[in-house]
Amino acid sequence: MSLFKRIQNLFVKHEPPAPEKSILTVGPGDVVEVSFVTYQVTGKSTNASRNATMLTLQDGTTIRYLYIEEREKTIFQLYSVIDGRLDSVDEVPTTIEMDDVTYHLEEQYNGRVQVVGKAPFHTSGEQYIWQFQSDGRELLRIEWQDGRFMLYEGEAVLPADVQVLRGT
């Protein structure tokens, strides 16, 4: 390489390295680890007004959902879908007893969600959410969108138990 080329390369702007993926920026095709289980992210629902994301995770035939909300500190909750039915959005109770566990309404809110990939609701739109917690710290989540309910049960996850293994 000539001396002129070497000097010229000193002044050329190089592309900055791509930022590393965080759990808040992953999307379909990325791989994450939650509580020592490796999952592929297949979908993502984002509620920008709450700074919250629900990732659809798949490990073989098992599908789980990781709820992430950034508040004073980042909250992680891992859910599985449960069978259940509610008749009306107006009749969601404040206390639910299921399998000898009593859940109490902790939070109720609504907001517009943006959906990417495979998610419980395949279209973006207005979504209503009820979050319950039992005295034993077990979680219950109810979502309603477009006339359809989804029910989940889950648990809180420590932030150290959530890692991004490979981002696309």
Side-chain angles (χ1 to χ4, degrees), residues 68-135:
I68 308 155
E69 185 172 0
E70 228 179 354
R71 293 185 178 182
E72 301 86 37
K73 59 181 184 174
T74 306
I75 297 169
F76 296 97
Q77 298 169 343
L78 188 61
Y79 290 98
S80 296
V81 171
I82 57 174
D83 289 333
R85 191 187 94 201
L86 294 168
D87 294 326
S88 169
V89 71
D90 298 324
E91 296 177 4
V92 175
T94 58
T95 304
I96 296 176
E97 187 169 329
M98 185 174 68
D99 297 333
D100 297 327
V101 177
T102 303
Y103 296 93
H104 303 280
L105 183 64
E106 186 176 86
E107 192 172 18
Q108 174 185 354
Y109 60 91
N110 65 311
R112 184 153 185 78
V113 293
Q114 297 294 326
V115 176
V116 177
K118 296 178 182 177
F121 300 100
H122 295 290
T123 59
S124 299
E126 188 75 15
Q127 188 177 69
Y128 293 82
I129 293 132
W130 295 263
Q131 292 189 147
F132 295 81
Q133 185 172 337
S134 74
D135 292 336

